[in-house]
Amino acid sequence: MNELSIFNLSSSIGKIIFIAIVLLIILSSYLSNQPPSSCDMTIATNRNFHNYYGIIGMTNHFTADPAQECQASIIYQPTLPQMILKPDHSASSFMTLAEYGTGKTLLRCEYLRSLSSNEYLKLTILDKLVTQYLDRFIQKMIEGKKDCQKENCLVDWSENEFAQLLLSTLVTNFIDSYDTHKHNGPDLSLDEKINLITIICYYYNGLGTSQLEKFVNWFLNKDLWSHYKADGEHVQPYKHHNQQLLNHLIVDLNKFSILNKNSERLGLLLIILEGEGFQNRAIAKHLYGEHFKDLVEFSSFIKTYFKKTPVFVIDGIDQNVHFVGNENRDSFESFCRSSVSPSILSMVMANHFYLSLFYPKIDGVNIKDVITRKDKFPIHTISWNTKSLINYADYVLQEMNKNAKKTRCKVFPDFKILVNYSDERNAEIINKIPTPRALHRFIAELIPEMNNDANNVVEPFEATFENVDNAYKNSFESFETKTNE
Ligand SMILES: *[C@@H]1O[C@H](CO)[C@@H](O)[C@H](O)[C@H]1NC(C)=O
């Protein structure tokens, strides 16, 4: 009797649980098939593109800040030149000449990312860094009584300055990042070491002298008791020092127009030259005019002892204050030409270092002609057409779909559907978009247009002709105000 009632009881509990589970499954599948309330366009707050497609609180790749391009998580590989991004991740020397907005920056970032830091010393030379050297160059010209307001002083920038820029970047980056743990100090002769130290003291572009002291004391195997220090007290009065040698160094360094001249660094060099007994040899020597030889020597030093090949990557210089605008086109051309001059390229071809240039293609600027061996130093372009742009847009939409919120109303459709490309008038406008950057600007303008229309159209967030037309016009206006700034 007892046993039976227990059985009955447990079986009825079992039934209840079973029914409850079935009900829950039915209810939840009913609920999940129900569109979320956010899809109701009669509610004003739902008229939001990002909300609708479930990318709220995420980066919309189309409208992301172009300055953050290096952090982009969506990278469409097929349009990036495979000659630059090699499957074996090796560096190469080339010039990319591409129009504005074609994705140069993205390509540069991917290229740098693809290179192994164990094999290469990666040296990125961007707008800000170049400005420092150009400013000093102009300053020196003004000191030489040139009127750089009236005439364009930067047209005199030559391969000499360019080589100095490379060497200075190399020295600075090396000093700020070398890894002594891998070495006991290279087995170079003292002569060779002093020569390298001299180059470093002249060309270093960083702040202060502490990094230099650290390096030279390690390099010369100095212990705590004998280490060199550019202490103002020791050098300032110059009483016990070789005044003649100091003057010689000052005169020599001053001949360089673009270097960051620092008297404390010369003071450090002076005490090293004295301490190591190099006064006479140093006074018979000068560095001015030796930049090509020194660049080769320093690169070889890094290659041999640190097992890394320098890769110079130059990008973003078209935004430079000295180069922007039509009136500065000649300066820009001089700079670009200096970077591919015969002496520079002969060092590249001798494999002393890699030179990877990312320059904008600007009408009236002629850089290509300087390069005589285009087989050894190729010129790449990045080209887009409507098909590749639509593929790119589809790729971005599909990538964004992967991370979209579950609460979205809809999955992103293909780009052609999103902008109703089947409407010929829409297609005509879309076909005029030349580059990814222009596409981004267009979409940034299209989103508010679609937000405004969300409650008036049959299919919310699929663009009408008016949406596309307005967005295209507005994207041009916003572009023009930006470039006029
Ligand atoms: C797309 O364009 C076609 C042709 O003009 C039109 O019939 C259709 O309604 C449009 N679709 C949307 C979602 O606006």
Side-chain angles (χ1 to χ4, degrees), residues 357-413:
L357 306 172
F358 294 83
Y359 290 158
K361 192 168 172 225
I362 296 174
D363 287 339
V365 173
N366 183 355
I367 315 168
K368 281 187 187 177
D369 287 2
V370 195
I371 304 169
T372 47
R373 295 294 304 274
K374 294 194 178 67
D375 55 329
K376 290 276 173 62
F377 193 82
I379 301 167
H380 302 307
T381 52
I382 312 175
S383 28
W384 291 90
N385 54 38
T386 301
K387 270 187 202 153
S388 60
L389 277 174
I390 290 176
N391 284 336
Y392 164 72
D394 279 344
Y395 179 77
V396 173
L397 290 171
Q398 283 157 20
E399 286 299 300
M400 292 203 296
N401 266 337
K402 285 185 192 161
N403 300 314
K405 298 233 160 45
K406 292 278 177 289
T407 55
R408 67 185 162 190
C409 292
K410 245 175 100 172
V411 171
F412 272 120

Side-chain angles (χ1 to χ4, degrees), residues 11-12 20 66 75 88 93 149 152-153 172 177 187 206 210 238 244 253 259 265 284 288 290 294 305 365 404 433:
S11 105
S12 61
I75 288 137
D88 63 353
S93 296
Q149 298 285 354
N152 209 337
C153 286
T172 310
S177 70
D187 55 352
S210 60
Y238 302 123
Q244 196 196 354
L253 179 60
L259 298 184
R265 248 171 252 157
Y288 185 71
E290 303 292 334
D294 288 343
Y305 292 99
V365 173
I433 295 175

Side-chain angles (χ1 to χ4, degrees), residues 126-135 138 152 154 316-329 331-332 485:
L126 301 177
D127 169 32
K128 263 196 196 141
L129 186 66
V130 174
T131 304
Q132 286 183 24
Y133 292 95
L134 296 179
D135 283 345
I138 292 172
N152 209 337
L154 283 174
I317 58 163
D318 42 308
Q319 282 135 42
N320 191 287
V321 285
H322 297 299
F323 292 150
V324 98
N326 262 342
E327 67 280 12
N328 292 319
R329 228 166 47 182
S331 311
F332 178 68
E485 262 165 22

Side-chain angles (χ1 to χ4, degrees), residues 417 420-426 457-459 462-465:
I417 298 195
N420 202 8
Y421 196 79
S422 64
D423 186 325
E424 275 175 22
R425 298 169 301 168
N426 291 14
V457 289
V458 195
E459 198 54 55
E462 288 183 15
T464 63
F465 168 66

Side-chain angles (χ1 to χ4, degrees), residues 4 31 62 82 98 117 163 177 185 207 235 296 301 333 393 428:
L4 193 66
L31 279 177
F62 290 120
Q82 297 306 300
S117 300
S177 70
L207 291 172
V235 188
V296 167
F301 161 65
E333 190 176 74
E428 205 180 303

